[in-house]
C-alpha cells in the first residue's frame, strides 16, 4: 500500500523521537560506566592503602577486611557488565531501533494502540513503551495475523480485538530507507530482499522476517517436548536459536544461558551460529555435540573413533576386508532390536549373583554376606547398579574404619615402645605402612564385590549374539579401540547403571539435525535430560549417515510421553531459489510437497568432464567469476575428506581458499572446500558439487547425502562429474 506524505512525515518524527530517547539513555549508561570504572579504581586504591600486602600471618581481621573489598569489587563488576550490555543494546538500536508496527484495537477500548516492534524494549522516563521487544506477548500478532480479527496470550489471559494496520520498516544507520503496509503477512517484499543478498560470515538473526509457522515453534510452551520436521531451508536452526532467545526473555527470572544446551552436528556449525544470540542481546547458551559429550563421559581408557572418521570409512572403505561386517555391525547397533537387547542386559546384570562374601578383619566380622545381600537387593534396590555398589562400598568402609583405627593405634604403641625410631613422625609412617599391608586383602575383597567395569559388562552382552558381530566387536575391544557404533551403547549402559553426572541445572535442551541421531541416542538424551524441555529439529531427507539415523520419528515416540510431546511440520523453504529447490527435490525418491519462496534465479548447471583435473580448472574459473559478481561465499562440496584435500591442494596456490575437513575447524566466510557431511546446516551463495559421477554417488545410500549437498546453495548451483552422471539424478536429466 502507498503511504502518503503526511504519514511519512509522522513516521520520520517518531523515528527522530525514538533515536533521541535512545541516545539519551546511551549517554546515561556511558556515564554510569565511567562512574563504575572510577569506583573500581578507588576501591583498589583503598584496599592497597588500608591492607597493603595480604597474608594469613597478618591475622584473621585483615583477611575479613580483604574479603569485604573482594565483595565490593564483585558488585562493581556486575554493575559494569549490566551497563556494558545496555550500552551495546542502545548502540544497536541507534542503527535500527525497530522494524515493524501494528495498530491493535482491543475489544472494549475506544481506539487502536500503536505498537512499534524491535529487537529490544525501550521505555521513556514516564515508563511509556516506545518500542516493544519482538518476544513480548503483544508482538506475536505481528507474526501471526493479517489485518482483521487478532489476539494474543498474556499473563491476564487472552486479549482479543482487531488488527487495523501492519507496517514494516527498513531502517539503516538511523535513517528510514523505506516502509510499506502489509494487508497479508510478512512476505515477499522484505523477505525477497533479505534472501536475495549474499551470505555473511556467520548466521544472522531473522526477527524481521519470522513467519507464522516459525513463530509457532519459537513461542510454543504448550508441550514439554517438540519434534520439528522441516525441509531444507525452512529455518530450523534459526528457529531453535530464536526459541532460546524467547525463553530467556520470558523466563529471565528463572533461567540463564547456563540452563540451556544445544547439541549441534559439529564444532564448525557451533562456530557458524555463534553470533545469533548476541545479535538478539543475549549471551550464548551452552553448546556441545553428542560426540563431545560422549567422549568426555567415557573417559580416557579407550582410543575412541570420531564420528566423521566413521563417516569417511563408510564412504571410502568399500575395498577394506572387513567393510561388510563393519556396516552390518553399524546397522545392528543402531537398530531398535539392539535397544531391546541392551535393556534386557541391564536387567540381567542388576539381578546377577555377585557372590558376596563375609568381610572379616583380624577375626572380626565387619559385615556378613547376608547383610550385604540385604543392602544390595533390598535397602538400596531403588538405586541403579553403579550407585548401589558405591553406597555398599561406602557402608562397608564406614563399618571397617573403627577396627582399622583401633589396630593402627595398637601398632603405633607397640612400635613406640621399642624405642627404635627417631621421632613420632617416623613411627606414624611405619604404622600406616603396616596397617595398609594388613588390610590389603580386605580392601581387595571390597573392591571385588563392588566392582563396576563398564567394558566387562559390555563384553558379556555379546556372549549369545550372532558370532560374526560378536567376534568382530570383541576383537576391536581387545585392542582397546572403540568404534563409534560401540561408544553409543556403552554410554547408554553407563547411564542405565547410574554413572552419569547430574544435569538438573539444564532446563531446556535443543537437538539440531535431529534426523542424524539414532533411537538409542535419544534414549540417552532422555536418560540425561528427561526432566528438561526438549526441542528436536530435523529433516528426514537430510540423513547424511545411511546407517546411523533416526529412520522415522515413530522410532522414538515411545521414549517421550505422548501427552506432552508434539510434532510440528514446517511447510515452507526460504533458502534457495525456485530453480535450485526444484532441482534438488527431484533427487529424492519421495516427493517433497513443502512450499518455497518464489524467488527466481539461474538454473543449476550439470556438466560432465573427461577427468578430474578438468573439473578443477572449471572450479578455479568459477571461483574467480563468482567473486567478480559479488558473491561472498562459495562452497566446493566433495563427498569425502580425501577428495576435499585433493581439490584444496590444486586450488590453494591459485586462489584464496580454505579447506574445512575436521569437525573442530573454525568456520570462515569465503571460498571453502568441504565434504558434504560436514556442510550440513551451512549455506553458501554458490555451491559446486564436486564430481557427482556414478563412482562417487552410485547407491541409494548416497541419495540423501547428495540432496543435502545441493540444498546448501542459495543462488547458484553447479554440478560437475566425470564418467557417467550419478543415476540418482536420472529424474532430473529425464525431465
Amino acid at each position: 500500500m502507498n503511504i502518503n506524505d503526511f504519514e511519512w512525515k509522522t513516521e520520520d518524527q517518531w523515528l527522530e523521537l525514538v533515536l533521541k530517547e535512545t541516545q539519551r539513555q546511551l549517554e546515561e549508561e556511558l556515564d554510569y560506566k565511567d562512574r563504575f570504572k572510577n569506583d573500581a579504581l578507588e576501591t583498589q586504591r583503598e584496599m592497597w592503602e588500608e591492607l597493603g600486602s595480604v597474608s594469613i600471618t597478618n591475622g584473621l581481621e585483615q583477611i575479613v577486611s580483604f574479603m569485604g573489598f573482594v565483595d565490593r569489587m564483585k558488585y562493581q563488576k556486575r554493575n559494569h557488565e549490566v551497563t556494558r550490555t545496555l550500552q551495546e543494546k542502545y548502540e544497536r538500536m541507534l542503527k535500527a531501533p525497530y522494524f515493524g508496527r501494528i495498530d491493535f484495537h482491543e475489544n472494549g477500548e475506544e481506539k487502536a494502540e500503536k505498537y512499534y516492534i524491535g529487537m529490544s524494549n525501550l521505555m521513556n522516563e514516564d515508563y511509556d513503551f516506545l518500542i516493544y521487544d519482538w518476544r513480548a506477548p503483544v508482538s506475536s500478532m505481528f507474526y501471526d495475523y493479517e489485518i482483521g480479527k487478532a489476539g494474543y496470550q498474556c499473563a491476564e489471559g487472552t486479549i482479543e480485538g482487531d488488527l487495523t494496520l501492519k507496517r514494516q520498516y527498513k531502517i539503516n544507520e538511523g535513517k528510514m530507507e523505506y516502509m510499506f503496509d502489509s494487508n497479508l503477512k510478512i512476505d515477499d517484499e522484505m523477505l525477497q530482499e533479505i534472501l536475495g543478498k549474499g551470505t555473511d560470515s556467520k548466521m544472522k538473526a531473522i526477527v524481521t522476517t519470522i513467519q507464522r509457522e516459525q513463530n509457532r515453534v519459537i513461542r510454543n510452551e504448550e508441550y514439554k517436548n517438540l519434534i520439528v520436521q522441516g525441509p531444507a531451508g525452512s529455518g530450523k536452526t534459526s528457529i531453535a536459536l530464536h526459541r532460546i532467545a524467547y525463553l530467556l526473555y520470558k523466563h529471565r527470572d528463572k533461567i540463564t544461558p547456563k540452563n540451556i544446551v544445544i547439541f549441534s552436528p559439529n564444532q564448525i556449525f557451533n562456530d557458524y551460529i555463534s553470533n545469533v544470540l548476541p545479535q538478539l542481546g543475549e549471551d550464548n547458551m551452552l553448546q556441545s555435540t553428542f560426540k563431545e559429550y560422549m567422549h568426555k563421559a567415557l573417559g580416557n581408557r579407550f582410543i575412541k573413533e570420531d564420528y566423521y572418521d566413521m563417516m569417511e570409512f563408510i564412504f571410502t572403505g568399500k575395498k577394506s576386508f572387513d567393510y561388510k561386517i563393519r556396516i552390518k555391525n553399524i546397522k545392528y547397533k543402531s537398530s531398535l532390536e539392539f535397544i531391546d537387547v541392551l535393556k534386557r542386559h541391564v536387567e540381567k546384570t542388576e539381578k546377577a549373583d555377585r557372590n558376596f562374601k563375609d568381610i572379616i578383619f583380624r577375626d572380626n566380622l565387619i559385615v556378613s554376606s547376608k547383610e550385604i545381600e540385604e543392602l544390595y537387593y533390598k535397602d538400596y534396590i531403588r538405586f541403579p547398579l553403579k550407585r548401589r555398589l558405591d553406597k555398599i562400598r561406602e557402608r562397608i568402609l564406614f563399618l571397617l574404619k573403627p577396627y582399622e583405627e583401633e589396630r593402627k593405634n595398637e601398632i603405633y604403641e607397640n612400635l613406640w615402645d621399642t624405642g627404635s625410631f627417631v621421632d613420632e613422625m617416623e613411627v606414624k609412617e611405619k604404622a600406616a605402612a603396616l596397617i595398609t599391608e594388613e588390610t590389603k586383602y580386605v580392601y581387595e575383597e571390597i573392591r571385588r564385590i563392588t566392582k563396576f567395569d563398564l567394558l566387562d559388562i559390555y563384553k558379556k552382552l555379546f556372549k549369545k549374539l550372532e558370532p560374526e558381530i560378536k567376534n568382530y566387536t570383541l576383537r576391536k575391544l581387545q585392542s582397546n579401540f572403540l568404534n563409534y557404533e560401540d561408544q553409543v551403547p556403552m554410554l547408554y549402559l553407563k547411564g542405565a547403571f547410574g554413572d552419569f553426572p547430574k544435569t538438573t541445572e539444564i532446563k531446556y535442551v535443543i537437538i539440531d539435525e535431529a534426523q542424524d541421531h539414532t533411537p538409542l541416542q535419544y534414549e540417552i538424551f532422555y536418560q540425561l535430560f528427561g526432566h528438561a524441555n526438549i526441542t528436536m529439529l530435523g529433516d528426514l531427507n537430510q540423513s547424511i549417515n545411511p546407517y546411523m539415523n533416526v529412520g522415522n520419528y515413530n522410532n522414538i515416540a515411545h521414549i517421550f510421553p505422548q501427552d506432552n510431546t508434539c510434532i510440528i511440520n514446517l511447510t515452507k523453504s526460504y533458502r534457495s531459489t525456485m530453480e535450485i529447490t526444484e532441482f534438488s527435490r527431484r533427487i529424492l525418491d519421495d516427493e517433497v510437497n513443502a512450499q518455497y519462496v518464489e524467488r527466481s534465479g539461474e538454473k543449476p548447471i550439470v556438466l560432465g568432464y573427461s577427468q578430474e583435473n578438468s573439473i578443477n580448472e572449471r572450479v578455479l574459473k568459477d571461483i574467480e567469476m563468482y567473486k567478480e559478481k559479488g558473491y561472498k561465499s562459495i562452497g566446493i562440496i566433495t563427498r569425502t575428506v580425501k577428495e576435499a584435500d585433493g581439490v584444496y591442494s590444486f586450488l590453494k596456490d591459485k586462489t584464496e581458499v580454505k579447506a574445512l575437513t575436521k569437525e573442530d575447524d573454525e568456520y570462515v566466510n569465503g571460498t571453502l572446500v568441504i565434504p558434504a557431511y560436514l556442510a550440513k546446516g551451512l549455506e553458501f551463495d554458490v555451491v559446486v558439487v564436486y564430481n557427482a559421477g556414478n563412482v562417487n554417488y552410485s547407491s541409494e545410500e548416497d541419495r540423501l547425502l547428495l540432496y543435502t549437498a545441493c540444498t546448501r546453495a542459495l543462488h547458484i548451483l553447479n554440478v560437475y562429474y566425470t564418467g557417467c552422471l550419478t543415476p540418482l539424478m536420472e529424474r532430473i536429466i529425464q525431465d
Side-chain angles (χ1 to χ4, degrees), residues 478-497:
Q478 192 67 33
S479 64
N480 204 40
F481 184 85
L482 280 184
N483 280 341
Y484 189 86
E485 65 270 20
D486 287 307
Q487 296 169 36
V488 180
M490 283 190 69
L491 185 66
Y492 172 80
L493 291 176
K494 192 176 177 71
F497 292 130

Side-chain angles (χ1 to χ4, degrees), residues 200-379:
D200 210 332
S201 59
K202 303 260 177 99
M203 180 180 281
K204 286 189 173 182
I206 60 165
V207 290
T208 59
T209 57
I210 291 171
Q211 304 295 291
R212 181 185 298 172
E213 64 174 15
Q214 295 173 328
N215 195 46
R216 181 186 169 203
V217 178
I218 290 169
R219 296 174 186 259
N220 194 309
E221 294 190 84
E222 184 179 351
Y223 294 91
K224 184 180 178 184
N225 304 305
L226 294 180
I227 299 174
V228 181
Q229 162 65 25
S234 54
K236 295 180 291 297
T237 301
S238 291
I239 289 170
L241 295 169
H242 287 71
R243 177 168 172 77
I244 290 170
Y246 169 76
L247 293 168
L248 288 170
Y249 175 85
K250 185 173 181 183
H251 303 291
R252 55 191 173 277
D253 57 333
K254 297 178 182 177
I255 64 170
T256 71
K258 292 181 180 179
N259 302 124
I260 303 174
V261 62
I262 182 168
F263 284 89
S264 301
N266 50 58
Q267 293 300 336
I268 294 172
F269 190 71
N270 278 343
D271 190 44
Y272 177 63
I273 66 175
S274 62
N275 280 359
V276 175
L277 279 173
Q279 287 175 13
L280 297 171
E282 303 288 354
D283 291 333
N284 266 318
M285 69 276 125
L286 301 173
Q287 293 176 271
S288 187
T289 66
F290 186 86
K291 184 222 76 173
E292 181 183 17
Y293 179 86
M294 179 168 63
H295 282 199
K296 184 177 180 181
L298 291 177
N300 299 320
R301 180 177 175 182
F302 313 99
I303 302 167
K304 298 181 288 292
E305 180 185 39
D306 277 346
Y307 177 77
Y308 292 104
D309 289 335
M310 176 186 67
M311 291 292 293
E312 194 73 5
F313 177 86
I314 290 172
F315 293 135
T316 65
K318 290 186 178 180
K319 295 180 181 179
S320 306
F321 77 93
D322 60 352
Y323 183 80
K324 288 184 179 179
I325 179 58
R326 174 83 194 270
I327 296 302
K328 184 178 181 180
N329 197 51
I330 293 171
K331 286 181 178 179
Y332 179 70
K333 290 172 183 172
S334 303
S335 68
L336 295 175
E337 177 189 349
F338 188 60
I339 294 177
D340 290 336
V341 170
L342 279 168
K343 289 183 175 180
R344 289 196 299 271
H345 186 58
V346 169
E347 187 177 352
K348 180 181 177 182
T349 302
E350 290 189 325
K351 291 179 179 178
D353 180 14
R354 297 192 67 86
N355 190 25
F356 293 124
K357 304 288 186 183
D358 293 344
I359 302 297
I360 298 172
F361 175 58
R362 290 178 58 81
D363 298 327
N364 294 304
L365 178 65
I366 307 303
V367 59
S368 70
S369 60
K370 186 175 180 180
E371 288 174 308
I372 299 173
E373 287 177 359
E374 282 278 311
L375 292 173
Y376 185 79
Y377 292 110
K378 186 177 179 182
D379 296 355

Side-chain angles (χ1 to χ4, degrees), residues 258-260 286 502-508 531:
K258 292 181 180 179
N259 302 124
I260 303 174
L286 301 173
K502 290 182 179 179
T503 58
T504 50
E505 74 280 3
I506 300 298
K507 302 295 191 299
Y508 293 89
H531 60 279

